Amino acid sequence: KQWYQRRVAITAGGFGRMSNTRYSLDSIEDTYVHLTNVAIQKTAPDYDPEKGCKWSLIQLRMYLLAKHGPEAVETLFRGMDDIFIKSLQSTQKIMINDKHCFELYGYDILIDETLKPWLLEINASPSLTASNQQDYDLKFKLLHDVLTIIDMEGKLTGKKEKSTDCDSALIPLL
């Protein structure tokens, strides 16, 4: 069997999902406080579908930079990259090894009060259904990046002019 080197693309076009209701120990019984799943959040009485509960990673990074400073935020994002790489390395022996295949994964990462990232789950083939225009724009950009990386037109392989119209970083998975 021929082996093909796997490559991982970590896109800058992801998003952070927030709870619609501010967390408080005083309202521990309120399920809207704890769940960031849109299917649950959208049933909250004060949910605004146009506003949603998502920020682009750029918006999230800017907020965290203003609140915690560049060193803490860079440490957080390096920690998330480390989670992505290590989780994929731990499963690479059971991944399909075919140059004609790809997979899109969605990572649910909790960020605690010290900006430590915690892996909650990994979703294979995450939902690309959009709940509002901002969500549509985020997911459209993600799909654009995926199709650019797949390189069906040969732009990255040297057969055609190289494409730089992508916000993802390709990383060999060793």
Side-chain angles (χ1 to χ4, degrees), residues 1 4 15-16 18 31 33 35 39 44 66 71-72 78 82 113 117-118 121 127 130 135 137 142 146 150 158:
K1 183 176 179 178
Y4 300 98
F15 58 86
M18 318 303 170
T31 57
V33 169
L35 298 173
E71 187 177 320
R78 276 194 311 273
D82 197 42
E113 68 277 358
W118 296 88
E121 69 177 349
S127 170
D135 197 24
D137 293 342
L142 171 69
V146 168
I150 293 171

Side-chain angles (χ1 to χ4, degrees), residues 59-123:
Q59 290 172 301
L60 178 61
R61 185 185 287 262
M62 288 174 51
Y63 171 80
L64 293 173
L65 281 168
K67 188 167 180 162
H68 299 282
E71 187 177 320
V73 174
E74 286 308 311
T75 300
L76 165 64
F77 278 82
R78 276 194 311 273
M80 290 192 302
D81 287 347
D82 197 42
I83 288 171
F84 303 145
I85 299 300
K86 287 182 178 173
S87 65
L88 292 170
Q89 286 175 331
S90 71
T91 60
Q92 70 180 338
K93 288 184 180 180
I94 60 170
M95 286 182 187
I96 295 173
N97 191 15
D98 185 338
K99 71 177 182 176
H100 301 99
C101 295
F102 74 94
E103 182 68 68
L104 176 65
Y105 295 104
Y107 281 73
D108 290 352
I109 295 177
L110 174 78
I111 301 170
D112 71 16
E113 68 277 358
T114 67
L115 295 190
K116 180 176 179 176
W118 296 88
L119 177 62
L120 297 179
E121 69 177 349
I122 302 169
N123 298 297

Side-chain angles (χ1 to χ4, degrees), residues 7-61:
R7 297 180 300 161
V8 176
I10 299 174
T11 184
F15 58 86
R17 196 172 349 176
M18 318 303 170
S19 176
N20 190 52
T21 307
R22 189 170 200 59
Y23 179 81
S24 168
L25 288 175
D26 296 334
S27 57
I28 197 91
E29 69 286 343
D30 183 354
T31 57
Y32 301 117
V33 169
H34 307 284
L35 298 173
T36 59
N37 186 311
V38 174
I40 303 295
Q41 289 292 317
K42 70 182 181 182
T43 64
D46 59 344
Y47 179 77
D48 179 355
E50 287 307 309
K51 182 180 170 191
C53 296
K54 294 178 185 174
W55 285 355
S56 70
L57 279 185
I58 293 168
Q59 290 172 301
L60 178 61
R61 185 185 287 262

